[in-house]
Amino acid sequence: MDISKDIKKVIICFYPVYKGGDNTEVVFKDGSQSIKYANVRIYLKDLAYYYNTDLKSLSKHTAEELGQKYSNPLPIGGQVWVPYYVRKSKIKRDTCTGYFALSYIKGLHRIGNKVLLEMRPGLSIKINNRPSTANKRLNNARLLEKLIKNGERSEYIKTFLENVLFLLKK
């Protein structure tokens, strides 16, 4: 899969769909959509790989920073990706989590016990998180973005990136 074409079109979210199997729907800044015949885990790994990001280390350090083990936002490619459940699994090991670019999230709206996520080009997606969980994930993403922008971890990130570049040169 060539993710560079998707990145040039500016990805605003990607989430799992059952269309011809367990695939990924990608939504772009211009509002266009595309189905990728790979599950979300593979698409996320490809996105991280494109930006030379070790997903496992990133997840670990983000968890330490936010004090939460699971379902943390991920800063990849200059964007903070917020994880939300978008469906219920039909079979074991089905991916239910989609990732949404924080800078394109307009807000969350409660509809009964469900939540509607509104994105910038006019896209609305029903998510399967409780309202309190959805708000917590959004707030954690905002906190992480502030930490990155304020340079709280800039020295650590700089060292980490230098080490990655050193390893790539080998």
Side-chain angles (χ1 to χ4, degrees), residues 154-164:
S154 63
E155 229 11 78
Y156 168 78
I157 291 170
K158 181 181 173 188
T159 305
F160 175 76
L161 291 175
E162 286 173 354
N163 289 337
V164 167

Side-chain angles (χ1 to χ4, degrees), residues 47-142:
L47 182 66
Y49 182 79
Y50 180 86
Y51 287 107
N52 298 319
T53 304
D54 179 11
L55 204 50
K56 192 171 185 176
S57 294
L58 179 66
S59 297
K60 180 183 174 193
H61 292 294
T62 303
E64 288 171 4
E65 195 66 39
L66 296 173
Q68 175 176 300
K69 286 186 179 183
Y70 303 105
S71 299
N72 287 308
L74 298 170
I76 300 172
Q79 188 63 259
V80 177
W81 296 93
V82 187
Y84 286 116
Y85 297 135
V86 294
R87 69 178 183 189
K88 293 186 183 206
S89 63
K90 290 186 177 180
I91 59 171
K92 191 176 180 178
R93 303 233 344 119
D94 257 359
T95 307
C96 297
T97 305
Y99 292 86
F100 303 84
L102 178 62
S103 62
Y104 291 94
I105 295 175
K106 275 169 108 173
L108 299 169
H109 300 286
R110 187 178 186 155
I111 301 172
N113 204 22
K114 296 290 181 185
V115 179
L116 191 67
L117 174 68
E118 288 199 32
M119 304 286 291
R120 277 228 162 62
L123 176 72
S124 295
I125 299 170
K126 190 175 97 176
I127 57 175
N128 289 335
N129 293 96
R130 291 181 302 172
S132 60
T133 304
N135 280 320
K136 181 179 179 182
R137 290 185 181 185
L138 186 58
N139 289 334
N140 279 343
R142 289 177 178 150

